[in-house]
Amino acid sequence: MTTNTTDPQTSDRPLERGRTFRHWGGTWTLVAPAPDGEGSWVALNTDTHAMAILTVVDVVWTGQTLDDDQLAVEVATAWHTLHQRWENVRARLAEKEQMIDDIRAYAIDRHLEGAFCRDGLNAALRHFDLEPYQPRYQVPVTVTATVHITADDADAAQRRVRYLIDGLAYSGESDEDEVQVTLDDTQVGDPETA
């Protein structure tokens, strides 16, 4: 239900929820007093469904007041509109991120085909604040070793060999390259006294 005042330009009625006014080229409705308590109100633009905190002075009242049901519908519509806008923004950001990933992958593929050197590729990637291309290689290696260890018993010898093998897996870092060693199939035989 809409309540009309006698003169929308000069109404001296107190500020109350549901009153509508013209401001910034749109029609706004008072929703609730703002938390700051300084005379500001949470207001809803019924044209764009935007919400803002406004200090309501020198406005042109429309002479209408929305009842609680109408105000609830307007707020729900504003919330839905805001949610839809946010979902659209998220979708567009995801599209842009995918496009950047696709462009980077295309540039790396062109480099691998010999279209330009790695330094040129990395200069272009840095220009666009993207990570430089640092290829990683996986090289399968099979190693057979005989280790001579002095130990008090066979269990101690096996533990020491196991420690050496595990140490190999974690010792692959250098200043220039990171090497990761995975020991897919490790077999330690029974120790024999020598």
Side-chain angles (χ1 to χ4, degrees), residues 122-141:
N122 283 335
L125 293 174
R126 277 192 301 276
H127 175 77
F128 292 105
D129 293 327
L130 299 175
E131 291 292 321
Y133 174 59
Q134 297 175 329
R136 297 181 58 89
Y137 300 96
Q138 180 174 329
V139 179
V141 176

Side-chain angles (χ1 to χ4, degrees), residues 107-184:
I108 290 170
D109 287 346
R110 296 289 293 142
H111 158 68
L112 294 174
E113 292 169 0
F116 40 86
C117 68
R118 183 168 160 189
D119 289 340
L121 168 66
N122 283 335
L125 293 174
R126 277 192 301 276
H127 175 77
F128 292 105
D129 293 327
L130 299 175
E131 291 292 321
Y133 174 59
Q134 297 175 329
R136 297 181 58 89
Y137 300 96
Q138 180 174 329
V139 179
V141 176
T142 303
V143 176
T144 303
T146 301
V147 180
H148 296 280
I149 293 180
T150 303
D152 292 337
D153 59 39
D155 289 339
Q158 271 191 317
R159 282 194 306 273
R160 290 189 59 201
V161 169
R162 181 80 249 167
Y163 178 78
L164 289 172
I165 292 171
D166 290 343
L168 175 64
Y170 297 109
S171 65
E173 292 187 18
S174 69
D175 291 340
E176 294 180 10
D177 296 311
E178 179 183 337
V179 177
Q180 294 179 345
V181 177
T182 57
L183 302 173
D184 296 326

Side-chain angles (χ1 to χ4, degrees), residues 12-178:
D12 59 356
R13 287 177 40 208
L15 300 178
E16 61 186 352
R17 183 175 57 235
R19 286 193 73 188
T20 60
F21 59 94
R22 296 254 180 230
H23 187 61
W24 292 343
T27 302
W28 293 78
T29 301
L30 297 177
V31 176
D36 65 10
E38 299 290 326
S40 298
W41 277 72
V42 176
L44 168 68
N45 185 315
T46 54
D47 300 325
T48 64
H49 304 295
M51 294 188 85
I53 295 179
L54 304 174
T55 302
V56 184
V57 291
D58 298 328
V59 297
V60 177
W61 297 104
T62 64
Q64 298 178 342
T65 301
L66 301 182
D67 65 24
D68 287 343
D69 290 340
Q70 292 170 319
L71 187 58
V73 168
E74 290 294 333
V75 169
T77 302
W79 173 254
H80 177 72
T81 301
L82 178 65
H83 179 72
Q84 288 300 111
R85 287 178 184 159
W86 174 243
E87 288 299 318
N88 290 342
V89 167
R90 286 179 53 187
R92 293 185 69 184
L93 285 174
E95 288 172 7
K96 296 298 180 192
E97 287 176 10
Q98 184 60 51
M99 182 185 299
I100 289 170
D101 290 345
D102 291 347
I103 290 170
R104 184 176 193 279
Y106 173 79
I108 290 170
D109 287 346
R110 296 289 293 142
H111 158 68
L112 294 174
E113 292 169 0
F116 40 86
C117 68
R118 183 168 160 189
D119 289 340
L121 168 66
N122 283 335
L125 293 174
R126 277 192 301 276
H127 175 77
F128 292 105
D129 293 327
L130 299 175
E131 291 292 321
Y133 174 59
Q134 297 175 329
R136 297 181 58 89
Y137 300 96
Q138 180 174 329
V139 179
V141 176
T142 303
V143 176
T144 303
T146 301
V147 180
H148 296 280
I149 293 180
T150 303
D152 292 337
D153 59 39
D155 289 339
Q158 271 191 317
R159 282 194 306 273
R160 290 189 59 201
V161 169
R162 181 80 249 167
Y163 178 78
L164 289 172
I165 292 171
D166 290 343
L168 175 64
Y170 297 109
S171 65
E173 292 187 18
S174 69
D175 291 340
E176 294 180 10
D177 296 311
E178 179 183 337

